[in-house]
Amino acid sequence: MNAATRLVEVRVPDMGNFKDVAVIDVLVKPGETIEPEAPLVTLETEKATMDVPSTASGVVEKVHVAKGGRVSTGDLVVTLRAEAEGAQPAGAAPSGGASSASPAAPAAAPAGQAAGRPTAPIQAATPPGPQATMSSGAPAATTEAQAPRPSGLAKTDGATPLRADFPLLNEHGFSRAYAGPSVRLLARELGVDLTRVKGTGFKGRITHDDVKAFVKKMLSGGAAAPASTPGAGGLPAVPVVDFAQFGPVESKPLTRIQKIAGPRLHASWVNIPHVTQFDEADITDLEALRAKLKQTAQDAGIKLTPLAFIVRGCVKALQQFPLFNSSLDPSGASLILRKYFNIGFAADTPNGLVVPVIHDAVHKDIYRTARELGELSEKARGGKLSPADMQGGCFTISSLGGIGGTAFTPIINAPEVAILGVSRAAMRPVYRDGNFVPRLILPLSLSYDHRVIDGALAARFTTFLAQTLANSHELVEAIP
Ligand code: CAO
């Protein structure tokens, strides 16, 4: 062995009780250069598919498993030839006797990570469900977060775990596509709808190469371009400018959430004919009521903001106008009307917008709603939302009321069909019975999918919502 290199063995990490797990895809070949965390093989149990990630960078010397084979914890997957210089990457297990040039395992490595023992934990990556982030009120991130980063994709700051899952393309079909977690992650990052990709892997499984081939085909005009491809698919390209020629510049990588949210936002924007209906609600009485209840709520550890009332109001409006709680069937031939009421809300976090969901909001009173709003917002800001926290939304609220502004045009969180934008309430003179009286007015901006909702219905919806918010006592009724 070359003095400047060492051999690194990558083995199957601890898989709990699973034994003799099927190898359904081998993702690397001898001679290939790979990065740490690059997926090497995909395994499938009865419950989940998972990738075995590389624990080091280097050139694949030998692949010890084959597609269709079976493995258990500790089995050798790949031998890598890695650079001998520098610290050994955490979790890399040096090859027993073959690697006399290898440095010893780091002293800090936990027991059980000695040479030849599996080190990198596998995170069971079940197919992700939809979930959301938003920008200007649109969807965002994904549950794919837990999947290892495929080699060749840009590294992100890693500050926020990638967990966004968002309804964007054909999310229903996407979650059912026959593909491993790293392939799903790649598809999401490239904005590829997996339902449109033909799998050439074992039993028709979609591989990395299938996703890449699909993108190539689209770029060469073989199909409609992915939503994330600027200038492709018939869309005019924006000019490419060398900004540095005009003055100093700095390049700042997008966060992981932003990378996932971008294609989703774009997909919503280009696929859905948006119309925004503006309206105003007189929340003078609501604010007086909130001021009365605020201390009681605070004593119970709850921050009672106008948003909790707005969530309750939206639930009532969705009950009254069921079309707003629907989604277009992927075939485009029918509507799916939901009989449950899960309300998403855009939360601003240091790494981008995410959309946690208040589940079963119809059965939660104002205090419980406020409590969940607070808890979910806290989790969102700490990057601690679970996939379940962001799944199953029916309708989204994007509130900028705590910040400012008078109106905006939120992007629909597809495949939902409407989103409510809320701006800052302000005292305005309102003409009543021959006089101007000061009233607290809340601006509402409802964007809707015009394929599903007509303008008249949208105006009825906001009118109803405004009246419901004005009659605030109905919003604080106890829920049986
Ligand atoms: N008008 C006037 N004041 C408002 C208001 C409104 N519409 N909405 C909230 N406020 C007030 C609150 O009452 C609170 O004041 P007090 O402490 O005196 O009661 C203050 O503004 C801050 O509220 P908040 O923002 O902490 O709480 P919230 O429940 O209103 O919002 C959350 C929670 C998570 C939605 C918010 O923190 C957030 O992240 N907002 C940004 C969402 C976003 O970026 N959307 C843009 C996506 S683009 O469509």
Side-chain angles (χ1 to χ4, degrees), residues 136-137 290 303 305-306 346 348 353 377 398-402 408 423 425 442:
S136 296
R290 188 176 76 92
K303 188 176 174 196
T305 66
D348 187 25
L353 283 159
S377 304
S398 177
S399 172
L400 293 171
F408 63 110
S423 298
L442 179 74

Side-chain angles (χ1 to χ4, degrees), residues 202-214:
F202 187 60
K203 291 187 187 166
R205 193 172 183 78
I206 301 171
T207 65
H208 290 86
D209 286 344
D210 294 333
V211 173
K212 288 176 195 161
F214 182 80

Side-chain angles (χ1 to χ4, degrees), residues 30-266:
E32 225 172 89
T33 302
I34 57 168
E35 308 256 310
E37 291 187 22
L40 303 174
V41 294
T42 306
L43 310 180
E44 186 176 66
T45 69
E46 301 116 42
K47 299 216 168 125
T49 59
M50 60 194 88
D51 288 344
V52 175
S54 177
T55 51
S57 62
V59 177
V60 177
E61 182 89 359
K62 187 164 180 195
V63 178
H64 301 270
V65 294
K67 202 189 274 190
R70 294 195 165 262
V71 292
S72 299
T73 298
D75 285 354
L76 187 54
V77 177
V78 157
T79 309
L80 291 179
R81 185 165 293 282
E83 297 281 325
E85 284 148 74
Q88 185 181 2
S95 166
S99 52
S100 53
S102 306
Q113 293 194 6
R117 298 283 300 278
T119 53
I122 277 187
Q123 288 172 315
T126 47
Q131 182 170 327
T133 317
M134 332 189 40
S135 164
S136 296
T142 321
T143 36
E144 308 280 5
Q146 309 298 341
R149 179 174 56 87
S151 75
L153 290 181
K155 239 183 185 163
T156 59
D157 59 9
T160 299
L162 166 56
R163 40 170 113 237
D165 90 311
F166 244 88
L168 115 104
L169 310 160
N170 176 356
E171 192 64 38
H172 179 75
F174 194 105
S175 66
R176 277 159 185 72
Y178 190 34
S182 63
V183 173
R184 290 171 178 280
L185 180 59
L186 177 66
R188 283 196 188 278
E189 294 204 359
L190 296 175
V192 171
D193 184 351
L194 281 180
T195 57
R196 299 177 60 200
V197 181
K198 188 170 160 28
T200 60
F202 187 60
K203 291 187 187 166
R205 193 172 183 78
I206 301 171
T207 65
H208 290 86
D209 286 344
D210 294 333
V211 173
K212 288 176 195 161
F214 182 80
V215 171
K216 268 187 207 155
K217 192 172 146 199
M218 286 190 292
L219 288 175
S220 61
S228 59
T229 307
L235 294 176
V238 293
V240 177
V241 175
D242 175 13
F243 303 107
Q245 65 181 305
F246 303 113
V249 293
E250 181 197 339
S251 173
K252 185 167 179 270
L254 295 182
T255 65
R256 198 153 186 78
I257 286 180
Q258 285 173 319
K259 283 187 176 173
I260 293 165
R264 289 175 175 280
L265 285 164
H266 193 183

